[in-house]
Amino acid sequence: MSFVEYSDLIKDGDVAIVHLGHNSVTPVKVQHGAQTQTRYGAIRHSSDLIGQRYGSKVTCSKGGWVHVLHPTPELWTVSLPHRTQILYTPDIAMVTMMLELKPGSVVCESGTGSGSLSHAILRTIAPTGHLHTVEFHQQRAEKVVEEFKEHRVDHLVTVRNQDVCKDGFGVTGVADAVFLDIPSPWEAVGHAKAAMKKHGGRLCSFSPCIEQVQRTCEALTEQGFEEIRTLEVLLRVHNVRDVTLQLPDFGPDPSSSQASPQAMEGASTAASPNQTSLRIKTTTLPREMPGHTGYLTFATKPRT
Amino acid sequence: MAHSEDDYEYRIKEGDHIVLKRGDVYKAVQIQRKKKVIFEKQWILLDNVVGHLYSTTFEISSGGTLQPKEDEETQSSTDVKVTGTDNRHIVDDGKSQKLTRDDIETMKEQGLTDKEIIKQLIDNSSTFSNKTGYAQDKYIKKKKKKYENTVTVLKPTCRIIAMMYHGREPGKICHLRYDTLAQMLTLANIHAGSKVLVFDTCAGLVLGAIMERMGGYGSVIQMYPGGGPVRAGMECFGFPAHFHDMLHEFPICHVNALLAGKLDTSAKDPTEGEKQVKVDAEEEQNQPEAEQQEGSPQEENMEINTGDDVGQDPEKLEKEKRQEAKAQERKEKLEEKRRKLAAAAALLEGRNADGLVIASQFHPSSLLLGLLKFLAPSRPFVVYSQYKETLIECYTKLKEQGGTVNLMITDTWLRHYQVLPDRTHPLLLMSGGGGYLLSGTTVAFDHSKPAASRLAEEPAPKRQKVKDSEN
């Protein structure tokens, strides 16, 4: 297992994602002799996980069962321990495409936060790219280093514990793309420019408030960035439902009674008096959904 | 570091696939000498862009040749100081612009730059100085867009090509919006080193996007309907040659045979018997000589005539030779096809693919149920459809059949913003529909309980206590 390479079998030391049903997932560090408690009972790692194929069904001690999935950045995003507010998959997908990330890209990111976006970046830039990520909170920086090791992606990433607004990214002239998710991105735009390749590159800043966007756009213009675009992407989840709708009863239809007896017969079977409702398959939207995560501002650094 | 060498990959070369850009309009073309292309109602000649750096902006001069644009000092082209505060005295009498359409046409013919024309328009507008600063900006912006005569040459990327297709030819890509494509690539966990199945009738845009994300590592198997795969969109990316080594193709009409283990890839086409192939192989040795003698006219003829048997030549010898060459070419093509089919079949046979992406105008449920069989357990799949109803059916069938978890039907909204000092707001227009996605993850089939009911999707503990207390 690694977050950047699929493997078939679960091994000691892997991070596996346990799927408990109804889109509820939880990460498990696989260790010989260890046990994990779920609401369906305990999973014994040595017998239930190690050597099993990813995707297989595991019966827990209480007789319930779960599926064990291969880790992906997307599953990690919905199961990781939050140390900060995180970026979710719809925004991550947009960032990845609009920053033009691909294998070999060199990316700068700040702050690292809980590492939700970091894992997605690493997946995309492997095996030849590199991520330079900056987190000013020491504990968070240490924790994420540990996670990168566990997830076997540490060869692709450098974590720096410093203030990006004051000290920059710790690299200059190397990045194809820069991502900013910090409270005052406008203070880091200059450092972002310095971190980027002479030939140019792409920048993205994620901010929840429009005032932050405003100041960032001004700073980007000042620093000579081009193609400055702000956008927002919202995910809608459609739940599939069987819906039963009542049919109105207009009483007996005199016009149909004058029809031929054959047609009468047909009508009586099709719309029998006891068929008072109709079942349809449709989707419904959740009563409440995330209506705003953050504005994404993209820009191109021209060749300098 | 040597600068010129360092720059090599950033320079535009003959034969490169490039994207032309003006404003928000993109067009993908391949650079060929002396070839005229039409862009934004103008004929242009691309010869001059070769050797320049990517992202250079060119000015279109008469005859369609391009000249690199001189750097402008600042964007505030016309510094107007006098502004009004509101529009209470601005009357629409249709006479505010003193220049006539003919005047403007003459200016254009004289080859005035957009800046000069705009300056003329402003100088001859009686209301311009009464407009508010914001309205003046807007006026200039609008005119600039109209009279601008420049084009920027970009290196193609997934972002640009997806935006281009969505803007120019949404019908060709089943109205797949670029943010939806972005979701697909992420949900399917597309990355270097995996083995991905693609069914793409979106002009090959999705295929290209996947290949870009895989960077030449791993393999992509394009499942195609009909006579051959469509790849126009993929070609726009201008991938290096080695990217094509990872690309395989497999016709969906052979899927059932392959699944049943009855696909014979050793002697493929029924129209071509083995004997014929052997005869052709013998003739192969004489072939190069014959071709040289005949020269290029014959080659041209061959291309036109492939698969057609109307040799009208008076000379028997020539006719024979031509038929020989034709048969030879056909044989080579068949052999190539057979080899490709065998290679793709070998990749599929393990039924251990790492991802499945479907984006087509076909009804997706049978496609999905069929192709899902080639996936290893615990792998993601994504199906795009312009219509939600088809995905509802897919969802229902997958639930009945089992073998998948995390099923979700989603769509995304994309909203663009104008961000300007004191004038920040969402853009007036947003895209109506970018299509729908069904995504999920495969799991091992449960053989003890076939045809799991809907309830069985949720793990059912023997003791219900925990479940009850959950909500």
Side-chain angles (χ1 to χ4, degrees), chain B residues 76-93:
Chain B
S76 53
S77 47
T78 39
D79 281 308
V80 203
K81 291 280 148 62
V82 202
T83 60
T85 49
D86 56 44
N87 60 10
R88 74 182 76 187
H89 299 303
I90 296 177
V91 186
D92 183 12
D93 55 4

Side-chain angles (χ1 to χ4, degrees), chain B residues 45 53 108 131 157 165 169 181 184 237 244 295 349:
Chain B
L45 207 57
L53 290 161
K108 272 210 248 175
K131 288 178 192 271
T157 64
Y165 263 105
E169 300 175 303
L181 176 60
M184 293 172 74
F237 284 76
H244 293 267
E349 259 161 5

Side-chain angles (χ1 to χ4, degrees), chain A residues 6, chain B residues 188 190 194-198 353-357 375 379-381:
Chain A
Y6 282 118
Chain B
I190 302 297
S194 35
K195 185 200 282 189
V196 181
L197 298 194
V198 191
D354 297 317
L356 168 65
V357 178
L375 243 61
R379 297 295 188 273
F381 58 90

Side-chain angles (χ1 to χ4, degrees), chain B residues 44-216:
Chain B
I44 54 175
L45 207 57
L46 293 171
D47 293 35
N48 282 356
V49 308
V50 173
H52 286 283
L53 290 161
Y54 273 103
S55 303
T56 305
T57 299
F58 296 89
E59 229 152 345
I60 306 168
S61 38
S62 55
T65 55
L66 301 174
Q67 303 300 329
K69 203 183 174 195
E70 301 295 319
D71 274 343
E72 281 174 51
E73 312 86 62
T74 37
Q75 286 293 337
S76 53
S77 47
T78 39
D79 281 308
V80 203
K81 291 280 148 62
V82 202
T83 60
T85 49
D86 56 44
N87 60 10
R88 74 182 76 187
H89 299 303
I90 296 177
V91 186
D92 183 12
D93 55 4
K95 290 176 198 162
S96 56
Q97 182 54 255
K98 299 285 183 292
L99 293 176
T100 63
R101 181 173 297 186
D102 289 343
D103 293 336
I104 297 167
E105 284 303 317
T106 333
M107 282 197 283
K108 272 210 248 175
E109 273 162 33
Q110 284 168 351
L112 263 67
T113 66
D114 53 325
K115 254 168 94 180
E116 288 162 331
I117 295 175
I118 293 165
K119 180 137 195 342
Q120 290 290 321
L121 286 169
I122 292 169
D123 290 347
N124 289 287
S125 164
S126 58
T127 48
F128 187 82
S129 55
N130 294 331
K131 288 178 192 271
T132 64
Y134 302 139
Q136 287 181 350
D137 280 353
K138 204 170 166 183
Y139 180 86
I140 293 169
K141 215 174 159 186
K142 213 165 126 188
K143 296 297 173 198
K144 206 170 171 178
K145 202 174 168 188
K146 193 166 172 189
Y147 297 108
E148 192 179 46
N149 208 19
T150 61
V151 59
T152 307
V153 177
L154 299 173
K155 209 172 180 120
T157 64
C158 176
R159 168 180 74 100
I160 291 165
I161 293 170
M163 285 167 69
M164 174 190 86
Y165 263 105
H166 185 253
R168 290 178 83 89
E169 300 175 303
K172 279 199 180 162
I173 54 164
C174 311
H175 294 260
L176 170 67
R177 213 205 287 130
Y178 44 95
D179 55 315
T180 313
L181 176 60
Q183 305 301 324
M184 293 172 74
L185 297 170
T186 298
L187 289 170
N189 192 21
I190 302 297
H191 63 279
S194 35
K195 185 200 282 189
V196 181
L197 298 194
V198 191
F199 185 85
D200 172 1
T201 63
C202 295
L205 167 69
V206 179
L207 175 70
I210 289 170
M211 286 171 70
E212 183 185 275
R213 286 288 178 91
M214 295 181 63

Side-chain angles (χ1 to χ4, degrees), chain B residues 219-392:
Chain B
S219 44
V220 180
I221 304 139
Q222 183 181 15
M223 315 294 286
Y224 65 88
V230 179
R231 289 174 178 172
M234 185 271 277
E235 306 288 349
C236 296
F237 284 76
F239 290 126
H242 73 271
F243 274 51
H244 293 267
D245 299 342
M246 68 186 278
L247 177 58
H248 300 82
E249 58 201 49
F250 190 85
I252 50 164
C253 60
H254 289 326
V255 163
N256 278 336
L258 183 66
L259 285 169
K262 283 178 183 152
L263 181 67
D264 182 13
T265 53
S266 54
K268 203 33 239 125
D269 210 283
T271 56
E272 204 80 4
E274 270 222 57
K275 273 181 194 169
Q276 182 66 46
V277 178
K278 269 182 190 163
V279 173
D280 284 343
E282 274 166 32
E283 281 166 357
E284 195 171 5
Q285 281 129 358
N286 308 328
Q287 206 45 51
E289 215 183 355
E291 247 173 55
Q292 269 177 6
Q293 280 170 3
E294 294 303 316
S296 56
Q298 200 211 342
E299 271 177 48
E300 270 177 40
N301 247 331
M302 268 163 38
E303 271 181 41
I304 300 159
N305 275 351
T306 38
D308 211 15
D309 260 295
V310 269
Q312 291 177 329
D313 282 284
E315 284 186 48
K316 260 193 173 179
L317 190 78
E318 189 145 321
K319 191 182 172 187
E320 234 168 65
K321 266 184 185 167
R322 192 171 296 181
Q323 278 181 338
E324 236 170 60
K326 229 190 293 167
Q328 173 63 17
E329 193 182 278
R330 200 186 300 152
K331 199 215 79 180
E332 271 171 20
K333 269 190 186 162
L334 273 169
E335 177 60 21
E336 174 71 7
K337 213 174 167 187
R338 189 201 61 75
R339 205 183 47 73
K340 279 183 175 173
L341 184 77
L347 280 169
L348 290 168
E349 259 161 5
R351 299 201 187 188
N352 58 355
D354 297 317
L356 168 65
V357 178
I358 297 175
S360 78
Q361 79 271 27
F362 282 66
H363 199 293
S365 64
S366 52
L367 266 174
L368 178 62
L369 296 182
L371 299 184
L372 217 46
K373 293 172 186 156
F374 294 109
L375 243 61
S378 194
R379 297 295 188 273
F381 58 90
V382 187
V383 188
Y384 169 81
S385 176
Q386 197 184 338
Y387 316 104
K388 193 172 60 179
E389 288 71 17
T390 56
L391 295 182
I392 296 177

